[in-house]
Amino acid sequence: MSRPIVATINQQALRHNLAVVRQAAPASRVWSVVKANAYGHGLARVWQSLATTDGFALLNLEEAILLREQGWKKPILLLEGFFQPDDLHLIDRYRLTTSVHSNWQIKALANATLSAPIDIYLKVNSGMNRLGFRPEQVNAAWQKLRALNNVAEITLMAHFADAENPDGLIAPLQRIEQAAEGLTCPRSLANSACTLWHPEAHYDWVRPGIILYGASPSGDWQDIASSGLTPAMTLSSEIIGIQQLRAGDGVGYGYRYHATQAQRIGVVACGYADGYPRHAPNGTPVSVDGVMTQVVGAVSMDMITVDLTPCPQAGIGSRVELWGEQVKIDQVAKAAGTVGYELMCALAPRVPVQLS
Ligand SMILES: *Cc1c(COP(=O)(O)O)cnc(C)c1O
């Protein structure tokens, strides 16, 4: 028999979460963000569950080509734009929309020979100081692009550093207004946090990622508990060993946990080589046969150890949910000092994936 760990992707949850996005931003079109292999869910596996979206946004040409080869005909947006002038051949051939964040890209567009003009997302630096033109540079960049035969529609695009914060958009939106002064063009600003919490920033196209997969943009499950979002990925395994501890016994590497009384411990076939966070401390939530309990002892490469005190019926073969509908990925991530984004993206290739 194969090792019992498996990741299950709930297709209905993906469809449902896209419907939640539509409800939250009813007047906007939706770029479903499927970068990083659909946040670890597997792009080839999941894009059809999101096929009522208006477009897919991602980073790699390889991922864009995969979507085209599998039959996706509607728009595809390259969120980081192209990485070298040569990429424009494939962008042209596969009819992709590309962001433009630097002057060298405008020059490359001017020099390229394309079969037809392409749509451009002109990236404004909202103050985050990652990609994009500063507000005072945007008009000149827009004019240069507008003058090119290779350019079709231009949309203003920006990203926010602090959209989880109720006041986090005030200064960035002012910068975007400054950038857009005198320009008539569509805008795309909103990531998941904006889509849920900042209707004033929805504009023409929203760009949700994490909420499509049913996790929280803020890292706190509570923040999306009432939004109706459903976790799309469940990571589950089984108990493959039991230890009966006596008071004072230690568990695992470094004896990071010691029993203070007699205690049953379950050994679970899941470790950091599966993508479970090695930093998960004692107390990280996990469920066994549907009962909430916790990790005790250090996470090792292939195993974790869990307290079976709340579930005395549990034994070899009991089902363990590492994250999913019951144990929210945000709760596990938070315990381990990270965010759900990182855990889902880090699901290891050795974990078999099934669709449900
Ligand atoms: C990743 C990304 C998004 C989606 O972010 P979420 O927080 O997952 O919604 C949107 N826009 C850009 C430019 C991105 O890189």
Side-chain angles (χ1 to χ4, degrees):
M1 274 301 281
S2 50
R3 198 162 164 260
I5 191 166
V6 62
T8 307
I9 309 298
N10 179 341
Q11 296 168 285
Q12 177 53 31
L14 293 164
R15 284 192 287 270
H16 168 81
N17 293 337
L18 179 55
V20 171
V21 165
R22 293 270 187 211
Q23 261 174 13
S28 305
R29 281 183 281 173
V30 178
W31 289 113
S32 289
V33 180
V34 291
K35 62 188 178 187
N37 200 23
Y39 288 50
H41 293 62
L43 179 59
R45 213 177 274 128
V46 304
W47 73 267
Q48 272 155 329
S49 299
L50 297 168
T52 61
T53 191
D54 300 297
F56 284 113
L58 40 69
L59 301 187
N60 284 328
L61 279 169
E62 290 78 1
E63 290 178 318
I65 293 169
L66 178 146
L67 284 178
R68 286 289 185 242
E69 286 179 346
Q70 296 203 352
W72 175 252
K73 300 217 159 41
K74 291 197 275 176
I76 298 178
L77 170 62
L78 297 173
L79 290 163
E80 285 186 355
F82 47 98
F83 302 99
Q84 49 226 356
D86 245 13
D87 294 343
L88 283 166
H89 294 126
L90 289 172
I91 288 174
D92 178 32
R93 175 152 156 221
Y94 291 98
R95 295 280 96 205
L96 310 177
T97 302
T98 178
S99 93
V100 168
H101 55 74
S102 298
N103 276 314
W104 74 263
Q105 293 174 317
I106 301 180
K107 286 199 197 92
L109 272 162
N111 294 331
T113 310
L114 304 183
S115 66
I118 54 175
D119 291 335
I120 296 299
Y121 268 49
L122 176 56
K123 182 114 188 206
V124 182
N125 174 0
S126 73
M128 188 175 191
N129 290 312
R130 251 174 19 178
L131 294 179
F133 294 92
R134 297 182 67 85
E136 62 274 17
Q137 302 169 327
V138 168
N139 198 289
W142 196 89
Q143 303 299 346
K144 277 191 237 162
L145 285 166
R146 193 58 293 160
L148 300 181
N149 291 330
N150 280 337
V151 171
E153 186 173 49
I154 307 175
T155 300
L156 275 194
M157 168 192 193
H159 196 61
F160 298 113
D162 197 20
E164 294 77 50
N165 184 335
D167 300 330
L169 260 52
I170 296 172
L173 280 175
Q174 280 169 0
R175 289 171 62 94
I176 292 160
E177 283 312 322
Q178 185 195 343
E181 211 183 316
L183 304 178
T184 321
C185 56
R187 295 186 199 185
S188 175
L189 312 179
N191 59 6
S192 289
C194 282
T195 301
L196 286 183
W197 301 318
H198 291 284
E200 76 277 17
H202 283 170
Y203 289 97
D204 303 271
W205 286 82
V206 294
R207 301 190 311 269
I210 193 79
I211 55 177
L212 294 173
Y213 309 98
S216 174
S218 69
D220 264 311
W221 165 251
Q222 283 313 319
D223 292 342
I224 60 163
S226 60
S227 62
L229 296 165
T230 308
M233 180 194 290
T234 298
L235 181 63
S236 61
S237 187
E238 290 179 7
I239 292 183
I240 59 168
I242 301 274
Q243 293 293 342
Q244 186 64 57
L245 305 187
R246 297 179 197 160
D249 285 350
V251 178
Y253 288 116
Y255 306 116
R256 209 183 62 188
Y257 177 81
H258 283 92
T260 55
Q261 55 190 3
Q263 186 178 10
R264 268 177 98 230
I265 297 291
V267 181
V268 183
C270 172
Y272 62 77
D274 300 299
Y276 196 84
R278 200 184 72 87
H279 290 104
N282 295 335
T284 302
V286 57
S287 90
V288 177
D289 281 342
V291 178
M292 291 299 291
T293 180
Q294 48 185 293
V295 171
V296 289
V299 173
S300 42
M301 184 183 281
D302 311 307
M303 285 174 268
I304 59 172
T305 36
V306 303
D307 178 20
L308 296 183
T309 310
C311 33
Q313 310 304 325
I316 304 283
S318 285
R319 180 180 182 273
V320 178
E321 183 179 294
L322 289 316
W323 59 69
E325 296 224 6
Q326 188 181 13
V327 182
K328 308 303 183 206
I329 196 168
D330 299 305
Q331 299 172 308
V332 178
K334 190 161 196 182
T338 181
V339 285
Y341 293 80
E342 186 179 10
L343 297 192
M344 49 179 82
C345 290
L347 182 74
R350 81 173 187 186
V351 176
V353 181
Q354 67 183 27
L355 291 173
S356 76

